[in-house]
Amino acid sequence: DIQMTQSPSSLSASVGDRVTITCRASQSISYFLNWYQQKPGKAPRLLIYAASTLQSGVPSRFSGSESGTNFTLTIRNLQPEDFATYYCQQSYTAPRTFGPGTKVDI
Amino acid sequence: EVQLVESGGGVVQPGGSLRLSCAASGFSFEDYMMHWVRQRPGKGLEWVSLISWDGGTTHYVDSVKGRFTISRDNSKYSLHLEMNSLRTEDTALYYCGKGHTSGSVGSWGQGTPVTVSS
């Protein structure tokens, strides 16, 4: 199975900050990497798919990039509603593993 | 508007069975891959299973293989997860998800809770 790791596991930030979250796959997954946001008590929300494609309705301050087996989610100009937990997921092959998550708080 | 509504969760003893359902609306259900994803209390997301648009292809995470069965009824816009030989570690909130481009999960239900406890 493909293992997904994320760093950091948590971070503290302020409104207006630029935040970077990294996800690494244990083997090549091409561009089959997705990012989700989850707020407490809510279902996850798809932010980015195919490593860098913004899902419809997601603010442009979110962006994704890839470099080999390393993937990055960047949030520019962090807003109060962005404080949440972020998960990466590979959809290259089954099982479609998620990363352990990165909690972004104030 | 896409809507996914899970049902069927509850409390069951170890070794017991449950059948989860997901009622879909607002899209052409028969055209999309569907997923089950779970989240144990206070933990992260765990992908559980997927089924292709026609039901011809299914995949499972290793920990549920042989115990869980995913199925769908395209005529009724419904997705199911038959869960047998339940273990305490299957306790989680189970989400139904609609497949999206590049294998992502584009829409999610609100989840149905499953508690396995004696």
Side-chain angles (χ1 to χ4, degrees), chain A residues 7-8 11 17-23 35 63 65 71-76 78 102 104:
Chain A
S7 60
L11 65 90
D17 282 355
R18 176 187 174 111
V19 167
T20 299
I21 299 169
T22 298
C23 176
W35 290 99
S63 64
S65 64
F71 300 83
T72 300
L73 172 69
T74 300
I75 313 171
R76 293 178 289 108
L78 197 70
T102 296
V104 176

Side-chain angles (χ1 to χ4, degrees), chain A residues 27-89:
Chain A
Q27 64 187 72
S28 174
I29 57 171
S30 187
Y31 58 83
F32 291 92
L33 190 283
N34 314 301
W35 290 99
Y36 302 87
Q37 176 194 65
Q38 187 180 34
K39 297 180 181 179
K42 300 294 187 181
R45 171 197 182 195
L46 177 65
L47 297 176
I48 288 171
Y49 60 91
S52 61
T53 303
L54 205 63
Q55 170 68 336
S56 175
V58 174
S60 59
R61 62 180 180 272
F62 291 90
S63 64
S65 64
E66 68 167 291
S67 177
T69 57
N70 295 318
F71 300 83
T72 300
L73 172 69
T74 300
I75 313 171
R76 293 178 289 108
N77 187 22
L78 197 70
Q79 295 298 298
E81 60 267 29
D82 301 335
F83 291 95
T85 300
Y86 294 85
Y87 296 92
C88 63
Q89 181 212 20

